[in-house]
Amino acid sequence: MTHPIRVAIAGYGNLGRGVEAALKQNPDMRLVGVFSRRAPTSVTLLDTDVPVYAMADIEQYQDEVDVMILCGGSKTDLPEQGPYLAQFFNTVDSFDTHAKVNDHYAALAQSAQKSGHVAMLSGGWDPGLFSINRLYGEAILPEGKTYTFWGKGLSQGHSDAIRRIAGVQSAAQYTLPIEAAITRVRSGEQPELTTREKHTRECYVVLKAGVDEETVRHTIVTMPDYFADYDTKVHFIDQASFDKDHSTMPHGGFVIRSGVTGDNNKQTIEYGLTLDSNPEFTSSVLVAYARAVHRLALSGEVGAKTVFDIAPSLLSAKSPAQLREELL
Amino acid sequence: MTHPIRVAIAGYGNLGRGVEAALKQNPDMRLVGVFSRRAPTSVTLLDTDVPVYAMADIEQYQDEVDVMILCGGSKTDLPEQGPYLAQFFNTVDSFDTHAKVNDHYAALAQSAQKSGHVAMLSGGWDPGLFSINRLYGEAILPEGKTYTFWGKGLSQGHSDAIRRIAGVQSAAQYTLPIEAAITRVRSGEQPELTTREKHTRECYVVLKAGVDEETVRHTIVTMPDYFADYDTKVHFIDQASFDKDHSTMPHGGFVIRSGVTGDNNKQTIEYGLTLDSNPEFTSSVLVAYARAVHRLALSGEVGAKTVFDIAPSLLSAKSPAQLREELL
C-alpha cells in the first residue's frame, strides 16, 4: 500500500464524529486533523489521537490534507464553506437542500476549477445513494415511475420545528412510510400517490410543566409544510422515557422503480436502507467518496462532482482486477 | 437532439428480442440492423423494420454502427465473438461466467485497445447491477458481510440440465431464496449460510410416455453441482399444464450488505429485483450501457470496461444539469 489518504474533518458534530469512526474502518485512509469553529481545546474527539485546529487557521494546512470532508449543515455552513474550502482542498460534502443543488454546484465548480481541486457535493444517501438508484432506475426502465419512501426515521428538521413551539421541552419526530402504499408500488400498479398516502408522521413530545397538551397538539398537526399535509400522531411522554427511547437516530427508506418492458412485463427495482444511525451511515458514504475524490484529483480531474459523475470502482480500496474477480 | 445512437444486435434470441424491444423505449437510440448466424430470410423480428444481415458479413458494417450489442451465450459465443467484434465496433455484452471474467476482460482489452474501441463486458443484472451493489455495499460498510440471493426465478442452465436426462420431454427449474435466511440477514445477525440454507430448487417436468418418475426424480436430486447440494422438489406435470404455466421467464433476487458502524450500530443496504421477464430486463440494462459506451468512445476512451468503470450519469439520456435538478 502507498501512503494512506490524508483526510481532515471540517465541522465536528454528529456527522464529524461519524467520519472519525468510519475512517477507522478504512486502513487506506487516515484522519490527520479536525477543524472546528469552537475553541479547539473544548472539542473532544471520540478516540483518535489527532489535533483539533481552529477553523480560522484552515488555509495553513492545505499541503497536509488530501481530502477535506465538510461536516457542516446545508442551510448556512456548506453554501459558504464549500466554495471557500474548495480554493484550498479537494472536498466532499453532504449538501442536501434538493432545490438549491445546482446553485451549490455552480459555486463549487467555479471555485474548484479556479484552484484546480475536485469538490464533490451531496454525498450521503438522499441525496447520494438514493439519487444513484433513481438514475439507474429510469435509465434502465424508461417506461415507468420512481417512488421514494423515507423511514422509519428520525427527522431532524421536523423535530426542530416542534421544539420551537412554546412549552415544548424535548421532541422527536419520526417519518413512517405507509405499508399499503409500498405494497401497491411493489405490485407494479404504478399508482399516483398523494403526500398523505405515502408517509405518516409520529411525534414524541415532552412538555414543560403546566403546558396544555391539546394546544400543542393542534399547533403541531396544523403546521404548514411540516405537518398539515400528513396524518400526524402526537404522543406526550415524560423526559425519562424520552431519554431512554428517543436518543438514537435511526433512519432509512426505499427507492422503487416500477417499469414495464416488451409486451407489458412488469419489472421492479427496489433499493432500501435500514439504518441504526443515520449520521454514521451518511459519514460512511462520505468517506468512501473521499477515496474517489482523491483518485479523481490524482488523475487530473478538476471541478464539481456529484455521485452521478463518479464510477463505482473509484469508491473501493480494491484494485480493478480484484473487483472483477471478487465482486463482478 | 443530435442524431440517434446507431445500435445493432449480434445474435437474435431472447436477449436480442429484448434489445429490440428496449431500444423502442429510448428515443435517442435507433436499431440499425440485426446480425444472425441463421439465414437472414429465416429471421423474423418483433416489429422493427430494419435489415437482418448474415453474421459473416458483419465487418462490412463497421461505419454504420455506433455500438454493437452482443446477444450470444457466455459459454461459446461471447468468448469468440467479443474479441473478434471489438476489432470493428464498440461493443456491449452480458458475459456471465463469473469464474472466467478476467480472461474475457483481457481478451477484450487487447482487441479493443488495438482497434481503438470500447468493449464493455458483463452488463445485465448479475453480473451487472448486482455487482455494482456488492461494490457500493462493501465500500461504504467495510465491516460487514454481503449476501446474494436469487429468485424466485427460472434458471435456464438448470432447466437444460434436466432436459438432458433420458425420458424428459420438457423441464423448468426455479430457484427460490429461503425466506428464513433472508430474515436472518435483514436482522443484522450476519449469519454464515450454507448453499442449502440459502436456496431451494423446484422443478416442473414433463416425461415422455412410459418413463418412470422415481428414476428421473432420483437422477435430478442427486445430480452433482446442479442439485445435490440443495433441497430439490420435483413435480411431474403434463405438457398442457407446462405450456400454460411455465412459458415465461421470471427472475429476480437480492443483494444485501449487512454492516456495522461506530459503536455497533447495524446498517443494512438491500437491493432487490422482481422481474417478469429476465431476458427483457437484461436487455434493458445492455441498452442503457450501450449509451454509456457510445459516450465513452466519443470522449476518447478505449479498452475493456465493466459496470464498475462507468459513472452513473453516462447511462442516462438526460444532461448532467437536468440529472442534478430532477434526481439528485
Side-chain angles (χ1 to χ4, degrees):
Chain A
M1 186 160 61
T2 52
H3 82 84
I5 303 169
R6 299 166 304 169
V7 178
I9 295 169
Y12 193 73
N14 284 327
L15 210 54
R17 273 188 288 277
V19 169
E20 182 187 351
L23 284 169
K24 271 188 267 219
Q25 298 186 332
N26 290 278
D28 64 327
M29 311 179 88
R30 190 161 57 89
L31 180 61
V32 296
V34 171
F35 293 88
S36 175
R37 281 177 304 201
R38 287 175 280 159
T41 50
S42 75
V43 176
T44 307
L45 305 187
L46 289 176
D47 57 359
T48 313
D49 187 20
V50 299
V52 180
Y53 303 108
M55 190 74 88
D57 298 334
I58 197 165
E59 292 186 32
Q60 300 171 23
Y61 297 90
Q62 55 186 300
D63 294 332
E64 293 167 39
V65 175
D66 294 315
V67 186
M68 181 69 67
I69 302 183
L70 280 58
C71 297
S74 296
K75 205 166 178 183
T76 55
D77 299 336
L78 297 177
E80 186 190 305
Q81 291 175 354
Y84 172 72
L85 292 175
Q87 296 177 280
F88 313 110
F89 302 99
N90 300 310
T91 64
V92 175
D93 77 32
S94 64
F95 186 79
D96 67 357
T97 312
H98 288 265
K100 295 187 179 166
V101 155
N102 270 331
D103 293 343
H104 189 52
Y105 180 89
L108 287 176
Q110 193 180 16
S111 173
Q113 285 283 355
K114 200 169 161 190
S115 69
H117 288 103
V118 174
M120 188 210 169
L121 61 152
S122 303
W125 58 276
D126 195 359
L129 302 179
F130 273 20
S131 317
I132 292 172
N133 279 281
R134 288 188 284 260
L135 190 162
Y136 279 125
E138 71 166 43
I140 290 160
L141 297 172
E143 293 184 8
K145 282 172 86 78
T146 302
Y147 299 83
T148 303
F149 292 93
W150 294 275
K152 180 186 176 175
L154 184 81
S155 164
Q156 211 58 64
H158 286 74
S159 302
D160 288 346
I162 300 174
R163 277 191 288 268
R164 284 192 294 264
I165 298 171
V168 169
Q169 182 166 300
S170 302
Q173 194 273 181
Y174 299 93
T175 305
L176 288 87
I178 295 176
E179 199 57 46
I182 298 177
T183 301
R184 289 178 64 194
V185 170
R186 284 182 179 149
S187 77
E189 180 195 329
Q190 297 189 25
E192 295 287 345
L193 297 169
T194 62
T195 298
R196 196 178 296 273
E197 285 172 323
K198 287 181 71 186
H199 296 95
T200 55
R201 298 196 177 277
E202 201 151 344
C203 312
Y204 293 84
V205 180
V206 182
L207 295 180
K208 291 174 184 160
V211 176
D212 179 55
E213 291 189 358
E214 281 319 302
T215 307
V216 172
R217 185 193 310 274
H218 185 260
T219 307
I220 293 173
V221 302
T222 60
M223 196 185 295
D225 300 332
Y226 285 85
F227 294 100
D229 297 335
Y230 298 84
D231 289 333
T232 301
K233 274 190 204 159
V234 183
H235 307 276
F236 294 100
I237 60 176
D238 60 35
Q239 188 66 49
S241 307
F242 187 89
D243 294 343
K244 178 170 156 288
D245 298 331
H246 303 285
S247 60
T248 60
M249 286 177 279
H251 219 310
F254 309 88
V255 174
I256 305 177
R257 179 69 177 181
S258 172
V260 295
T261 62
D263 189 15
N264 205 30
N265 283 310
K266 289 178 183 169
Q267 316 275 25
T268 308
I269 308 174
E270 178 167 337
Y271 183 80
L273 296 174
T274 310
L275 310 176
D276 274 1
S277 167
N278 180 4
E280 283 179 8
F281 187 77
T282 300
S283 300
S284 297
V285 178
L286 296 180
V287 166
Y289 276 103
R291 178 185 290 119
V293 162
H294 178 63
R295 287 171 171 175
L296 287 171
L298 283 182
S299 73
E301 296 261 351
V302 295
K305 304 284 173 190
T306 73
V307 291
F308 297 152
D309 307 313
I310 296 178
S313 64
L314 294 172
L315 273 73
S316 172
K318 292 180 176 173
S319 74
Q322 195 181 2
L323 289 174
R324 289 192 297 273
E325 183 89 21
E326 296 178 10
L327 301 180
L328 198 65
Chain B
M1 189 157 63
T2 52
H3 81 84
I5 303 168
R6 299 166 305 170
V7 178
I9 295 169
Y12 194 73
N14 285 327
L15 210 54
R17 274 188 289 277
V19 169
E20 182 188 351
L23 284 169
K24 270 188 269 217
Q25 299 186 330
N26 291 277
D28 63 327
M29 313 180 87
R30 189 162 57 89
L31 181 62
V32 295
V34 171
F35 294 87
S36 174
R37 281 176 304 201
R38 287 174 281 160
T41 51
S42 75
V43 176
T44 307
L45 305 188
L46 290 176
D47 57 359
T48 314
D49 187 21
V50 299
V52 179
Y53 303 108
M55 191 74 88
D57 298 335
I58 196 164
E59 292 185 33
Q60 299 171 25
Y61 297 90
Q62 54 186 300
D63 294 332
E64 294 168 38
V65 175
D66 294 315
V67 186
M68 182 67 68
I69 302 184
L70 280 59
C71 297
S74 296
K75 203 165 178 184
T76 56
D77 299 335
L78 297 177
E80 187 188 305
Q81 291 175 354
Y84 172 72
L85 292 175
Q87 295 178 279
F88 312 112
F89 301 98
N90 300 310
T91 64
V92 176
D93 78 31
S94 63
F95 185 79
D96 68 356
T97 312
H98 289 264
K100 294 186 180 168
V101 155
N102 270 330
D103 293 343
H104 189 51
Y105 179 91
L108 288 177
Q110 191 179 18
S111 174
Q113 284 284 357
K114 202 169 160 190
S115 69
H117 288 103
V118 174
M120 189 210 166
L121 62 152
S122 303
W125 58 275
D126 196 359
L129 302 179
F130 273 21
S131 317
I132 292 172
N133 279 280
R134 287 188 283 261
L135 189 162
Y136 279 125
E138 70 166 44
I140 290 161
L141 297 173
E143 293 184 10
K145 283 174 84 80
T146 301
Y147 299 84
T148 303
F149 292 93
W150 296 276
K152 179 185 177 176
L154 184 80
S155 165
Q156 210 58 65
H158 287 75
S159 302
D160 289 347
I162 300 173
R163 277 191 289 269
R164 285 192 293 264
I165 298 170
V168 170
Q169 182 167 299
S170 302
Q173 193 273 177
Y174 299 92
T175 305
L176 288 86
I178 295 177
E179 199 57 46
I182 297 177
T183 302
R184 288 179 64 193
V185 170
R186 284 182 179 149
S187 77
E189 179 194 332
Q190 297 190 26
E192 293 287 345
L193 296 168
T194 63
T195 297
R196 195 178 296 272
E197 285 171 323
K198 287 181 71 186
H199 297 95
T200 55
R201 298 195 176 278
E202 200 150 344
C203 312
Y204 293 85
V205 180
V206 183
L207 295 180
K208 291 174 184 160
V211 175
D212 179 55
E213 290 189 358
E214 281 318 303
T215 307
V216 173
R217 186 193 308 274
H218 184 260
T219 307
I220 293 172
V221 302
T222 59
M223 196 185 294
D225 300 332
Y226 285 86
F227 295 100
D229 297 335
Y230 298 85
D231 289 333
T232 301
K233 274 188 203 162
V234 183
H235 308 277
F236 294 100
I237 60 177
D238 61 35
Q239 189 66 49
S241 307
F242 186 90
D243 294 343
K244 180 170 153 289
D245 298 330
H246 303 284
S247 60
T248 60
M249 285 176 278
H251 219 310
F254 310 86
V255 174
I256 304 177
R257 178 68 177 182
S258 172
V260 295
T261 62
D263 189 15
N264 205 30
N265 283 309
K266 289 178 182 171
Q267 315 275 24
T268 308
I269 307 174
E270 178 166 336
Y271 183 81
L273 297 173
T274 309
L275 309 174
D276 274 2
S277 168
N278 180 4
E280 283 180 7
F281 186 79
T282 300
S283 300
S284 297
V285 178
L286 296 180
V287 166
Y289 276 103
R291 179 184 290 120
V293 162
H294 178 62
R295 289 172 170 175
L296 286 171
L298 282 183
S299 73
E301 296 262 350
V302 295
K305 305 283 174 191
T306 73
V307 292
F308 297 152
D309 306 314
I310 295 178
S313 64
L314 294 171
L315 274 72
S316 171
K318 293 181 176 172
S319 73
Q322 196 180 2
L323 289 174
R324 288 191 298 270
E325 183 89 21
E326 296 178 10
L327 301 181
L328 196 65

